[in-house]
Amino acid sequence: MDREDILARSRKENKERDLFEKEVLRESSKAGAVASVLLAFVLLTIRVILGCGIDYGLWAVCMATLAATFTVKARRLHRRHEMLIAAGYTILTLAMTAAYLSQIIASATRS
């Protein structure tokens, strides 16, 4: 088996994506998730400092990002620790979403 055959098989197994490209995509996705959570946290902090109250919608987005990240890790790595963290973030996502919906429904009924 020559070098070209090995490369052709590798490309076929990796669906025409090389391993470097896969790693770059993985790192960029991780960086995007971290940037999103950090920005949401900064916006939440500014909102609380200015006395505008808590925006449960932004908290729900932060928690959903973390829940998705840990759910994928738990499924791939089969670690109990990752599963517990994923479950915790999922519960927090649901709680923040419920609080957000309650907040906007209460706001809508006052108007």
Side-chain angles (χ1 to χ4, degrees):
M1 190 180 303
D2 67 350
R3 182 174 185 265
E4 292 304 315
D5 288 338
I6 294 170
L7 287 173
R9 283 186 180 180
S10 176
R11 282 189 203 102
K12 186 177 181 181
E13 287 174 8
N14 292 311
K15 298 178 184 168
E16 298 301 323
R17 286 191 173 165
D18 66 355
L19 296 177
F20 178 72
E21 183 182 1
K22 281 184 174 183
E23 186 61 29
V24 168
L25 287 171
R26 187 180 355 256
E27 286 180 26
S28 63
S29 297
K30 217 183 281 187
V34 169
S36 297
V37 169
L38 287 176
L39 177 60
F41 183 74
V42 168
L43 295 174
L44 288 164
T45 303
I46 291 169
R47 187 174 167 88
V48 169
I49 288 171
L50 294 176
C52 299
I54 297 172
D55 184 348
Y56 292 107
L58 273 177
W59 276 116
V61 171
C62 288
M63 296 301 117
T65 301
L66 294 168
T69 300
F70 279 96
T71 299
V72 170
K73 282 178 72 175
R75 284 187 176 180
R76 293 279 179 119
L77 300 176
H78 302 289
R79 291 185 186 155
R80 185 169 189 251
H81 170 61
E82 307 292 341
M83 290 176 197
L84 291 173
I85 293 174
Y89 279 127
T90 300
I91 291 167
L92 285 172
T93 300
L94 296 172
M96 295 299 162
T97 301
Y100 176 73
L101 292 173
S102 174
Q103 197 175 48
I104 63 171
I105 289 169
S107 173
T109 56
R110 276 186 241 137
S111 299

